[in-house]
Amino acid sequence: MEEYTTMPVPPTHEADETKGQISSGTAVLSTAAMPLQSFNPLANICEAFCGLHLYPNDKKRQVISYHYCSMLDADRRQCLIYDSNTKDAKLIAVEYIISQKLFESLDENEKKFWHSHKYECESGLLVQIAKTGVPEMVVETAEIPSLQHLCNTYGKTHQLWPVDDEGNCSSKVPYGPPQILASFTADGQVLPELLEKRDKAMRISTETKRKEREGRVQGNAPVEGADQWFTKGLAWQIYDQGERGVVEARQ
């Protein structure tokens, strides 16, 4: 298989004087307009999770992802993904999550873009985002049944903001075409320093989460066709062909 790597992020970091700041005029206009507008799609968000994704064609390029999800129906979720859980977080990706039944109905060509959630649910990599001060016992009680349901689902993630070598979306703008991301499928794949950073930010222990879920969160074996970067060594990705102005998917 030919090896293709993801383009590195150019050093276009946000200037200190503008990062996280909004002009007073813009703030006033936004505040005044808020009571007049409808935010119904956002009001339907009912789940919040923190997980990690990787680029299937560049496995050392990984990112912490904060998911905020709404349910379309029993078989479909859609998630907005941010690089943090703060007010100035960047919208860096979108993930669509479907049931095993819907995944099995996809044609073989479509399945190659989807990943399973079994390992990240069982291993503690995927956790609920709880409010500050909520006791761990309460979080665990809510988390276990939710993750058991997610365990047998499949996701298709489009990363919109490129990730740099440190796992950050540090460029000023989200340049380039969307990228297909994958989930982790086995021990030893996630970068230890990135997992440590996530656990510190969330004030949790992935290892403790894993032990809590033993025998309580168990998924079916992933359906054939998912996780092809892992099962078949096929790293499907979108590539920008530069001056030709062509964007194509290839392995």
Side-chain angles (χ1 to χ4, degrees):
M1 180 188 74
E2 277 189 273
E3 189 69 26
Y4 299 98
T5 57
T6 307
M7 292 185 299
V9 176
T12 53
H13 297 270
E14 293 178 314
D16 291 339
E17 65 271 18
T18 60
K19 184 177 181 181
Q21 297 182 16
I22 301 174
S23 70
S24 58
T26 300
V28 169
L29 288 172
S30 297
T31 301
M34 192 174 297
L36 308 176
Q37 299 176 73
S38 170
F39 300 95
N40 285 339
L42 296 180
N44 196 36
I45 290 175
C46 59
E47 293 181 316
F49 298 96
C50 182
L52 299 97
H53 288 131
L54 76 157
Y55 285 68
N57 59 310
D58 192 357
K59 301 174 189 62
K60 297 300 181 184
R61 198 172 296 276
Q62 304 177 5
V63 61
I64 300 171
S65 303
Y66 292 80
H67 302 58
Y68 295 87
C69 308
S70 61
M71 295 188 181
L72 293 176
D73 51 43
D75 292 308
R76 299 177 298 165
R77 288 176 172 86
Q78 51 190 15
C79 305
L80 301 175
I81 299 179
Y82 295 83
D83 64 345
S84 75
N85 61 347
T86 61
K87 289 183 178 180
D88 61 348
K90 299 187 187 81
L91 177 63
I92 61 171
V94 176
E95 180 169 4
Y96 299 96
I97 297 176
I98 60 175
S99 65
Q100 179 173 318
K101 178 180 70 174
L102 272 186
F103 179 76
E104 290 173 336
S105 73
L106 301 177
D107 62 52
E108 295 308 307
N109 184 63
E110 175 62 25
K111 285 179 180 177
K112 67 192 180 197
F113 299 116
W114 295 76
H115 58 260
S116 66
H117 291 135
K118 172 183 167 65
Y119 174 78
E120 59 182 345
C121 287
E122 294 178 350
S123 67
L125 287 183
L126 189 65
V127 299
Q128 282 192 339
I129 303 172
K131 291 182 177 179
T132 303
V134 177
E136 176 56 32
M137 185 177 295
V138 175
V139 175
E140 180 184 344
T141 300
E143 193 175 59
I144 295 297
S146 182
L147 289 170
Q148 176 57 44
H149 185 268
L150 275 171
C151 215
N152 294 318
T153 62
Y154 294 79
K156 182 180 185 180
T157 303
H158 299 280
Q159 181 77 6
L160 308 174
W161 211 301
V163 174
D164 64 22
D165 292 337
E166 303 300 322
N168 300 314
C169 298
S170 60
S171 60
K172 183 71 173 178
V173 299
Y175 79 97
Q179 298 285 279
I180 299 294
L181 293 195
S183 64
F184 295 93
T185 54
D187 292 347
Q189 294 173 349
V190 65
L191 297 174
E193 61 270 23
L194 192 67
L195 186 57
E196 182 180 357
K197 178 181 178 182
R198 192 286 295 267
D199 282 9
K200 184 177 180 180
M202 296 287 294
R203 298 180 180 180
I204 62 166
S205 164
T206 295
E207 190 56 37
T208 298
K209 293 286 187 182
R210 183 173 194 154
K211 291 177 181 178
E212 290 174 354
R213 298 173 190 182
E214 289 179 357
R216 302 170 70 190
V217 177
Q218 295 179 308
N220 303 328
V223 176
E224 173 69 23
D227 306 318
Q228 290 197 23
W229 74 272
F230 176 69
T231 61
K232 298 182 179 181
L234 300 175
W236 301 100
Q237 195 51 275
I238 301 169
Y239 297 88
D240 186 352
Q241 298 305 297
E243 293 182 358
R244 288 196 297 155
V246 176
V247 177
E248 62 180 26
R250 64 191 181 199
Q251 69 181 65

